[in-house]
Amino acid sequence: MKILLLGGSGQVGFELRRTLVLLGEVDAPNRHELDLGDARAVSGYLEQSRPDLIVNAAAWTAVDKAEESRDAAYQLNAALPEQLAGYASQHHIALVHYSTDYVYPGDGDEAWREDSPTEPLSVYGASKLAGDRAIQSSGCSHLVFRTSWVYAARGHNFMKTMLRLGHERDALKIVDDQIGAPTPARLIAQVSTLAIPPLLSARLGSGIYHLAPRGETSWHGFASEIFHQAEGQGESLMINPAQVVGIPTVEYPTPAARPLNSRLSVEKLEQALGIKMPEWRTQLALTLEEHISR
């Protein structure tokens, strides 16, 4: 099987390059080989590559910059998925795509389900929702994985930023009223690779699935756990845990609004694949170990 992986240099894409090789030959063009913002270039590459499966890990993820770069965000998050889904439908192949908790309104305290009402608060969220809907309406065989708070041992992410600040400062203020589940890119890739064979054999139905660990925390709780576990793994930090102070979102204004409730129910995915998602703290421990040992 020939797998076309887009966004292979990103956090999730890097991990997918390591797991998808179990399923077939992986073609992961970099940005110099394929400009994903150029629809004609994408069309030409698809015709040349003739993949048996498309996995799209490419996205505009700069949430605040999307507010002033709407067209660019929609090109990557909506137009590209629509184009890929159209090709997949025409050639009778499957598409795997990644979305976000930002498609939901972010209120309340109940975990969002896949059929919960959507109401994005930002351009980023709206652009991702447009991509989800384009894939659903294309008629192609597909998996859309909505996830939250993605981080990894590589790339730019909250875990690595906290570790850097933990070495530089003795006190921090971190938002404590946004609640979700930190999701390592490694787990996203592992579950994706597990889900693809049953999708291709029609044992797993096309649709939207939430992909995140079990449990919940705030950004403040996530940061505190990062520092606690890092010290437990031998990291010498400057940060004083007692000086990691929680603050409300209103005290940390950003150009794009963030959802306060990013909880995602993973029951649909667990039942469909016959698995139990791990707890977020155990996944943090593995990711920290990988980062620290590098």
Side-chain angles (χ1 to χ4, degrees):
M1 178 169 63
K2 187 172 185 180
I3 303 168
L4 176 59
L5 170 62
L6 301 181
S9 60
Q11 294 181 109
V12 174
F14 179 87
E15 298 294 341
L16 284 164
R17 284 164 54 194
R18 300 206 282 191
T19 59
L20 290 176
V21 293
L22 297 173
L23 302 180
E25 173 192 352
V26 179
D27 176 19
N30 60 40
R31 65 187 62 186
H32 302 294
E33 296 170 312
L34 176 59
D35 178 3
L36 296 177
D38 184 341
R40 291 182 62 182
V42 171
S43 179
Y45 199 95
L46 287 168
E47 292 301 331
Q48 173 190 342
S49 176
R50 292 284 177 174
D52 302 304
L53 169 71
I54 301 173
V55 180
N56 180 37
W60 178 287
T61 57
V63 175
D64 289 326
K65 289 183 179 179
E67 295 296 310
E68 59 187 36
S69 302
R70 185 182 186 279
D71 290 346
Y74 266 84
Q75 175 58 41
L76 277 182
N77 293 346
L80 176 62
E82 181 176 19
Q83 182 179 10
L84 297 176
Y87 179 91
S89 178
Q90 180 182 356
H91 292 83
H92 306 290
I93 65 172
L95 169 64
V96 178
H97 177 74
Y98 300 92
S99 189
T100 174
D101 61 283
Y102 277 60
V103 303
Y104 299 112
D107 55 354
D109 56 12
E110 295 293 324
W112 302 108
R113 303 180 67 85
E114 287 82 354
D115 58 358
S116 294
T118 52
E119 189 179 339
L121 304 177
S122 62
V123 170
Y124 167 71
S127 66
K128 292 297 290 182
L129 179 59
D132 294 358
R133 288 175 170 170
I135 292 170
Q136 288 180 288
S137 63
S138 70
C140 76
S141 176
H142 66 271
L143 295 175
V144 174
F145 289 118
R146 286 179 180 163
T147 188
S148 63
W149 298 17
V150 179
Y151 70 101
R154 295 167 175 79
H156 301 287
N157 57 69
F158 185 82
M159 184 195 78
K160 292 185 66 179
T161 297
M162 288 300 103
L163 288 173
R164 175 178 59 81
L165 293 176
H167 283 102
E168 299 172 352
R169 304 182 187 180
D170 61 3
L172 286 171
K173 294 181 178 180
I174 309 291
V175 170
D176 65 0
D177 59 352
Q178 296 175 25
I179 308 298
T183 308
R186 179 193 62 259
L187 181 65
I188 294 172
Q190 290 170 336
V191 172
S192 299
T193 304
L194 182 65
I196 287 170
L199 172 70
L200 299 181
S201 66
R203 290 182 289 113
L204 176 64
S206 291
I208 294 172
Y209 295 85
H210 289 164
L211 198 172
R214 282 194 166 271
E216 63 184 55
T217 189
S218 66
W219 290 110
H220 174 267
F222 187 22
S224 298
E225 189 67 16
I226 290 168
F227 299 140
H228 172 73
Q229 289 198 20
E231 287 188 333
Q233 293 192 28
E235 283 288 283
S236 179
L237 302 175
M238 180 184 294
I239 193 73
N240 180 353
Q243 296 301 315
V244 181
V245 178
I247 61 171
T249 297
V250 294
E251 291 186 19
Y252 189 75
T254 55
R258 264 64 172 178
L260 297 182
N261 178 17
S262 291
R263 300 170 179 87
L264 297 176
S265 168
V266 295
E267 292 179 1
K268 179 182 176 181
L269 179 67
E270 290 181 330
Q271 292 175 4
L273 294 180
I275 61 174
K276 183 174 178 62
M277 297 300 288
E279 204 268 344
W280 71 270
R281 289 180 181 84
T282 64
Q283 295 300 292
L284 172 59
L286 290 171
T287 311
L288 276 171
E289 181 179 357
E290 181 181 3
H291 173 71
I292 291 171
S293 65
R294 288 176 62 200

